């Protein structure tokens, strides 16, 4: 398992975690922002009017309203990225990662505007009479690249698991287990059945569910987040300072956090920002294509609001919660995941400057440190060997080893190159940094609600992540229809729900790594496609705005 995760991590690092990908993503957003003269600012007010239905016409073609299309697309983006993803970015890159998440969103507002407008323009009606759209249609119909369209559709199907299904239920089940003690397999089974009931109803049932679910979950989460931030009001200013002061320098070691350089904060912030708002990934255009309008750009206007709501508002709230509460640099009792753990050959002290530097370089893949090989001698749960264990990028403390019967172990645990043999049934508990949903849940307890804050995170995560899984089932289904016709949709949905169930009790590290790979493989053809269609985009935008001003001279 450890070797599989290491291989996936290498692929993910080269694709989603590499500078060339993040620069392509940000560069595309920056190019269109300048090329189209800052549409995310110029048209923001107009977008709010469009989504309210001010300019709707009853006879226009489509399956959903502007608002339903927005909430369906938002249900696909507002998910674990907003709760677990922000925490994961700060855990990896420090406070500066949040800044780069926000920058990704500002530029992503333009990217969403472009990809949705173009995809909407080239949408089609499928064999069952439903509207089908997405980047694969402009790739086929305008660019005349059916091979690229097929690759994108295939990656969307894969990404529906890596983005929409697997990490969502994994975060839900972990949160419900840590908060309420509900077995992960039980959570997965019940929610997989509910998921099947919703997605088998198609886009109209999905739209009806999401238009109620998205506003409800946003309000619940907003109230909980504000309660934390105001409770820690004295840390609000330092939290803002920490975000901006380390943007170009990285974050120094503090508490249990061993530091993060600029490149790591930049890459992880952009990567998690994309996972959160999906700008440039090409997923949202599939939902927006179903909107009732004959004006592609008007639906692009609606899409401008997505990254703003998803990342600039909701992710900022989560980031301020984590930073103002201080939990991101504290160690908490938890059960260690073997894939997130290294058993070192030497002893290290994270309060020692020299050791901090060594460990920082090791975690940044810039320096090798000796790993332990041999037998760990364990007596009544305590390791007798003199060594250090790194878990969750921190020096673990108060470590106890348990056997398969959940009793303190007395005996030996075999270790090879810092990795222990999980076949022995042994597992480790102790104090270390935590990340993803458990970190956000811990932050929410530092509020006026106290321990009840965990309930808000668990309920918010349940609603956020479940709605994301619903939307991505639709994206994957539309891509299956494109490649195989409508007959392939039902088998896909069955497999999707099965994967949803299995991921509820699988290893989180592997799942998050897989999501990074699938995001990159989906985004690359979409980014290339919209850049090739830049003139087409400019023409339809100018044509729309000229027509609109002629029809509404006083606006």
């Amino acid at each position: 398992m450890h070797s599989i995760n290491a291989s996936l991590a290498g692929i993910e690092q080269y694709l989603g975690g590499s500078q060339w990908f993040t620069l392509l993503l940000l560069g595309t957003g920056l190019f269109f922002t300048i090329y189209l003269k800052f549409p995310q600012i110029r048209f923001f007010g107009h977008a709010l009017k469009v989504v309210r239905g001010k300019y709707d016409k009853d006879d226009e073609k489509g399956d959903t309203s502007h608002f339903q299309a927005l909430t369906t697309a938002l249900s696909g983006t507002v998910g674990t990225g907003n709760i677990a993803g922000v925490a994961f970015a700060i855990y990896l890159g420090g406070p500066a990662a949040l800044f780069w998440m926000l920058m990704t969103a500002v530029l992503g507002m333009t990217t969403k505007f472009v990809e949705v407008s173009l995809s909407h323009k080239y949408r089609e009606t499928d064999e069952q009479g439903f509207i089908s759209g997405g980047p694969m249609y402009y790739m086929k119909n305008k660019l005349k690249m059916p091979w690229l369209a097929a690759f994108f559709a295939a990656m969307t199907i894969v990404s529906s698991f890596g983005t929409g299904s697997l990490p969502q239920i994994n975060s839900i089940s972990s949160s419900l287990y840590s908060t309420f003690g509900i077995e992960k397999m039980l959570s997965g089974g019940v929610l997989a059945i509910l998921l099947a009931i919703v997605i088998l109803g198609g886009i109209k049932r999905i739209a009806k569910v999401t238009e109620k679910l998205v506003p409800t979950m946003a309000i619940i989460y907003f109230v909980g987040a504000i309660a934390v931030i105001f409770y820690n009001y004295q840390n609000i200013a330092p939290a803002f300072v920490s975000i901006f002061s380390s943007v170009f320098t990285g974050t120094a070691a503090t508490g249990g956090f061993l530091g993060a350089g600029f490149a790591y904060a930049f890459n992880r912030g952009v990567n998690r920002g994309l996972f959160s708002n999906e700008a440039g990934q090409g997923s949202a255009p599939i939902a927006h294509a179903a909107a009732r309008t004959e004006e592609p750009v008007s639906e692009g206007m609606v899409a401008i609001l997505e990254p703003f709501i998803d990342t600039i508002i909701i992710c900022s709230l989560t980031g301020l919660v984590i930073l103002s509460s201080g939990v991101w640099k504290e160690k908490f009792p938890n059960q260690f995941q073997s894939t997130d753990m290294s058993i070192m050959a030497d002893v290290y002290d994270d309060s020692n400057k020299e050791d901090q530097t060594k460990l920082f370089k090791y975690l940044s893949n810039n320096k090798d440190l000796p790993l332990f090989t041999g037998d760990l001698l364990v007596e009544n749960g305590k390791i007798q060997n003199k060594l250090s264990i790194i878990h969750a990028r921190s020096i673990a403390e108060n470590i106890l080893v348990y056997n398969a019967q959940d009793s303190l172990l007395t005996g030996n645990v075999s270790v090879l190159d810092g990795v222990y043999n999980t076949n022995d049934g042994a597992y480790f508990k102790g104090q270390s940094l935590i990340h993803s949903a458990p970190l956000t849940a811990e932050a929410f307890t530092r509020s006026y609600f106290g321990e009840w804050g965990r309930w808000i995170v668990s309920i918010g995560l349940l609603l956020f992540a479940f709605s994301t899984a619903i939307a991505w089932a639709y994206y994957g289904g539309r891509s299956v229809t494109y490649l195989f016709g409508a007959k392939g949709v039902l088998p896909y949905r069955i497999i999707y729900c099965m994967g949803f169930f299995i991921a509820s009790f699988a290893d989180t590290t592997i799942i998050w790594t897989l999501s990074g790979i699938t995001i990159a493989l989906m985004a690359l053809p979409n980014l290339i496609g919209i850049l090739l269609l830049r003139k087409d985009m400019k023409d339809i935008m100018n044509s729309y705005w000229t027509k609109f001003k002629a029809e509404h001279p006083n606006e």
Side-chain angles (χ1 to χ4, degrees), residues 134-186:
M136 54 275 204
Y137 289 95
Y138 75 65
M139 292 172 187
K140 181 188 74 169
N141 296 331
K142 179 63 177 178
L143 291 176
K144 307 300 181 186
M145 295 181 178
W147 60 271
L148 188 64
F151 178 78
F152 176 84
M155 289 305 100
T156 302
I157 295 170
V158 176
S159 198
S160 71
F161 291 93
T163 300
S165 176
L166 306 186
Q168 307 302 330
I169 184 58
N170 193 275
S171 292
I172 291 173
S173 63
S174 296
S175 178
L176 292 178
Y177 178 75
S178 63
T179 305
F180 308 112
I182 300 172
E183 286 298 324
K184 295 180 179 180
M185 195 173 290
L186 177 61

Side-chain angles (χ1 to χ4, degrees), residues 383-531:
I383 300 171
Q384 303 303 303
N385 312 65
K386 295 295 183 184
L387 49 78
S388 289
I389 292 179
I390 293 180
H391 179 254
R393 299 174 58 83
S394 61
I395 297 294
E397 299 174 1
N398 303 322
I399 303 164
L400 290 173
V401 186
Y402 292 80
N403 59 26
Q405 291 72 44
D406 300 325
S407 300
L408 291 173
L409 177 70
T410 295
N412 297 342
V413 178
S414 59
V415 178
L416 178 64
D417 292 331
V419 181
Y420 75 93
N421 185 0
T422 55
N423 293 329
D424 294 340
Y427 62 91
F428 294 67
K429 286 186 176 181
Q431 288 182 294
S432 70
L433 293 182
I434 55 176
H435 60 77
S436 303
L439 178 59
T440 307
E442 198 65 48
F444 266 71
T445 65
R446 309 283 177 91
S447 80
Y448 296 107
F449 295 116
E451 287 297 315
W452 289 92
R454 294 185 192 277
W455 286 56
I456 295 173
V457 173
S458 293
I459 294 169
L461 190 60
L462 171 62
L463 297 176
F464 280 30
F466 187 67
S467 67
T468 297
I470 291 171
W472 272 94
Y474 175 69
Y475 299 158
R478 291 289 85 192
S479 297
V480 167
T481 301
Y482 178 84
L483 290 175
F484 308 110
K487 64 183 182 295
V489 175
L490 182 59
Y492 161 77
R493 287 171 176 166
I494 292 171
I495 296 170
Y496 187 86
C497 291
M498 289 172 61
F500 189 76
F501 168 67
I502 293 169
S504 65
F505 49 87
D507 187 286
T508 57
T509 306
I510 289 177
I511 287 170
W512 279 104
T513 305
L514 179 63
S515 73
I517 296 171
T518 56
I519 284 170
L521 290 176
M522 197 176 158
L524 284 172
N526 182 53
L527 292 173
I528 292 168
I530 61 175
L531 285 169

Side-chain angles (χ1 to χ4, degrees), residues 358-372:
K358 288 180 183 178
L359 292 167
F360 170 73
K361 290 181 178 179
Y362 170 74
L363 293 171
S364 303
N365 299 317
N366 293 325
K367 181 179 181 178
D368 289 330
L369 291 177
L371 300 171
F372 182 80

